[in-house]
Amino acid sequence: MSQLWTFDTVILGAGGGGYPAAFRLAKNGHRVLLVDDKGNLGGHCMFEGCIPSKTVREASQLVRMSQRDAVAGVSLSLRNVAIPSVWQSVRAFKDGVQTRRYAQHAEEIEETANLTMVKGRGKLLNPNEVEVTDTIRGKVFKAEFHFLIIATGSSARMLPIPGGESTWTSHQFFAWLESVPELPKSLILIGGGYIGVEMAMMLDAFGVKTTILEAMPTILPQMDSEIQKELALALQNVATVVTHAKVTQIDSRDGEKWVQVESNQGPRLYRAQQVVTAVGRIPNVSKELGLDNAGIIHDNHGIHVAPSMRTSQAHIYATGDVNGLVMLFHAAVRMSEVAAANILTHPEVADEFDPVEIPTTVFSTPEAHSVGLTLAQAEQRGLRAHEVRRAMGVEARAQIAEEQRGFFKMVVENDTHRVLGVHAVGVDAAVMSALSHVIVQRKLTVQDVAHMTFPHPTQFEIFDRLARNE
């Protein structure tokens, strides 16, 4: 008979949707059980997602600068250095960053009272009980709970086409201690979202010839139309971009991948040494999770939740990718905090999640971000609004960085002057998304932004300068 444990809160998944709530609840006296198949914090983001990919991206930026004649008047040439040896060093650097962060997280877990961490998996048996398989100790036990947070994340979507199983995902490039030893000379990226765009730009620095195949009419189909156009221009010297491209089959022959495509110009065939699929992610809501045993409403798009993050069972929450709302790590962290706040005030609702205010960033060259509504989205909601804009390159920071491409704009409601959205392409745009989030989330007006003051010379000066000219 399985041992029975009792906890105030059980959390399945230690990624962004799980561990912030675990720490907050434990510090507030909850006895918390945190179950994760990796046995540490960070989930997909830490293991093979944003942390390793942005580490590689950082290295690619340095390689790209070193390949220029001069940077800030200084020659940093690496033109005679073999790229394969550079890639080996970059891999080691990436693994080192991940190792350091995993060790840091292990210390945080160890130092947190009321928190029990188990490497393994959990399955719901009923609305108040979960069966946990401890893969380290080889044991199975049952845990009763007053509250449950399901934060089991998502998995890479694979194309349901002949040969689709032969493609790579981002795992092969970025997984901790498992990434590819050598880069292919040519690569096809299926999917022109932020992952495809970022990978094409970073791999170009390492000499990889890339082709992006996007089924929609534009790359980055969910973002502001001007961002799409600006980054499409930036990609012209980096990758071959094909839109309206529906991949129908992938064959392997002569040491290459042959990709068949139906396009608005008829059938096409593309070939490369390897193919990476970046066509989105699927919430992890398999039968093994036992959602039906607990009466939790869900479908292929994820677990259904209210803005409070509550599921169809009021004491059970679903946060992060598993609910399908916004599949970004920082969104998962926000959802986790919302769930923790509402557990602490149960049955009252203390906090809610709003998908609109979550920043979307693209770590491309140049960078981009989008927060809140575009003008088209505002008009679709019946809001009367307009755009105000300024070129990123007129700021001192952009000129110092020798990156004068791009634009910055705000979507402003006509009557209230409230900032409904902020969208930018250019130097430091990804970092600037944090302030854009504050402006949109706090419902600030253009006048509020005009009264702000930012250090000189930083790209943040563009916020108040644009607002003062409105």
Side-chain angles (χ1 to χ4, degrees):
M1 185 174 180
S2 299
Q3 183 181 3
L4 180 63
W5 293 5
T6 300
F7 293 89
D8 295 304
T9 303
V10 171
I11 303 176
L12 303 180
Y19 79 78
F23 285 128
R24 182 172 179 181
L25 292 170
K27 290 176 181 177
N28 279 274
H30 273 234
R31 293 162 298 163
V32 178
L33 172 64
L34 184 58
V35 182
D36 186 87
D37 60 357
K38 295 179 178 64
N40 209 321
L41 311 183
H44 163 77
C45 174
M46 177 68 72
F47 189 76
E48 58 182 273
C50 32
I51 295 299
S53 68
K54 301 313 175 285
T55 303
V56 172
R57 188 259 184 178
E58 189 78 9
S60 75
Q61 294 288 87
L62 296 174
V63 171
R64 182 176 284 107
M65 284 193 294
S66 72
Q67 292 169 339
R68 289 159 54 181
D69 291 333
V71 178
V74 179
S75 177
L76 302 171
S77 180
L78 280 180
R79 291 180 178 178
N80 296 324
V81 177
I83 288 298
S85 65
V86 173
W87 175 247
Q88 296 296 331
S89 299
V90 170
R91 279 190 63 212
F93 173 60
K94 173 198 74 68
D95 288 341
V97 171
Q98 289 170 284
T99 299
R100 188 180 312 119
R101 292 196 61 77
Y102 274 132
Q104 174 184 323
H105 288 325
E107 291 178 3
E108 292 171 338
I109 294 167
E110 184 68 25
E111 294 169 356
T112 302
N114 302 316
L115 176 61
T116 300
M117 178 84 193
V118 171
K119 181 177 181 179
R121 297 182 179 274
K123 178 180 181 179
L124 281 158
L125 301 177
N126 55 61
N128 296 99
E129 198 173 47
V130 64
E131 181 182 77
V132 177
T133 300
D134 185 331
T135 56
I136 293 291
R137 299 172 181 83
K139 295 182 178 180
V140 177
F141 65 90
K142 295 179 181 179
E144 291 181 325
F145 54 82
H146 299 297
F147 299 98
L148 174 73
I149 298 177
I150 303 170
T152 50
S154 63
S155 300
R157 185 187 302 275
M158 302 303 293
L159 288 175
I161 60 172
E165 71 286 347
S166 68
T167 64
W168 288 356
T169 66
S170 59
H171 177 97
Q172 278 74 17
F173 279 98
F174 304 124
W176 184 41
L177 305 176
E178 296 181 23
S179 51
V180 297
E182 295 183 4
L183 290 173
K185 293 181 180 179
S186 57
L187 185 75
I188 291 174
L189 291 156
I190 302 177
Y194 76 93
I195 293 176
V197 170
E198 289 177 357
M199 287 191 69
M201 289 189 170
M202 73 173 71
L203 292 177
D204 173 68
F206 299 108
V208 180
K209 181 181 179 181
T210 59
T211 300
I212 297 175
L213 302 178
E214 169 56 50
M216 300 294 286
T218 66
I219 60 168
L220 303 165
Q222 304 303 319
M223 297 194 75
D224 176 83
S225 60
E226 282 193 275
I227 292 178
Q228 296 169 355
K229 294 175 184 176
E230 193 76 28
L231 292 188
L233 286 173
L235 280 167
Q236 284 184 348
N237 296 324
V238 173
T240 299
V241 179
V242 184
T243 56
H244 298 281
K246 181 182 178 181
V247 177
T248 57
Q249 185 168 326
I250 301 170
D251 298 311
S252 299
R253 60 179 185 266
D254 301 327
E256 291 185 315
K257 303 288 186 183
W258 295 65
V259 181
Q260 297 184 29
V261 170
E262 290 292 339
S263 70
N264 56 357
Q265 297 180 343
R268 294 295 176 94
L269 191 63
Y270 299 88
R271 63 178 183 173
Q273 283 190 340
Q274 191 51 258
V275 175
V276 171
T277 301
V279 290
R281 300 184 66 81
I282 303 173
N284 291 330
V285 291
S286 66
K287 290 183 179 179
E288 288 73 20
L289 189 54
L291 298 176
D292 293 335
N293 298 337
I296 297 173
I297 297 175
H298 64 97
D299 55 30
N300 292 336
H301 300 291
I303 297 174
H304 296 196
V305 293
S308 63
M309 296 293 101
R310 288 176 181 166
T311 68
S312 50
Q313 297 283 359
H315 66 296
I316 298 178
Y317 296 73
T319 55
D321 287 8
V322 76
N323 63 35
L325 291 178
V326 182
M327 289 187 171
L328 297 169
F329 182 83
H330 49 280
V333 170
R334 171 67 181 135
M335 294 182 215
S336 191
E337 292 287 353
V338 168
N342 292 328
I343 286 173
L344 292 173
T345 60
H346 187 82
E348 285 76 25
V349 173
D351 200 358
E352 293 186 336
F353 175 78
D354 182 2
V356 172
E357 69 191 37
I358 298 300
T360 297
T361 55
V362 186
F363 287 85
S364 47
T365 305
E367 297 175 353
H369 85 249
S370 185
V371 182
L373 301 177
T374 64
L375 180 60
Q377 289 169 336
E379 292 173 345
Q380 288 170 4
R381 294 186 177 206
L383 300 173
R384 296 175 60 250
H386 64 282
E387 291 180 342
V388 291
R389 59 185 297 123
R390 184 176 173 89
M392 290 282 264
V394 301
E395 303 299 335
R397 163 62 183 151
Q399 294 166 12
I400 292 170
E402 297 184 297
E403 179 56 88
Q404 298 182 51
R405 290 177 291 180
F407 65 88
F408 178 89
K409 66 181 181 181
M410 297 181 189
V411 179
V412 181
E413 189 172 20
N414 292 352
D415 297 332
T416 66
H417 306 292
R418 182 164 67 94
V419 179
L420 302 175
V422 186
H423 312 276
V425 174
V427 65
D428 298 336
V431 176
M432 292 166 63
S433 68
L435 179 56
S436 297
H437 164 73
V438 172
I439 292 169
V440 173
Q441 195 267 344
R442 302 307 298 172
K443 297 180 171 57
L444 300 185
T445 65
V446 170
Q447 290 76 16
D448 293 327
V449 178
H451 290 149
M452 295 178 177
T453 302
F454 301 99
H456 177 73
T458 68
Q459 200 64 15
F460 284 90
E461 293 176 289
I462 201 168
F463 280 92
D464 61 298
R465 286 178 178 170
L466 176 60
R468 287 198 301 269
N469 292 328
E470 160 62 345

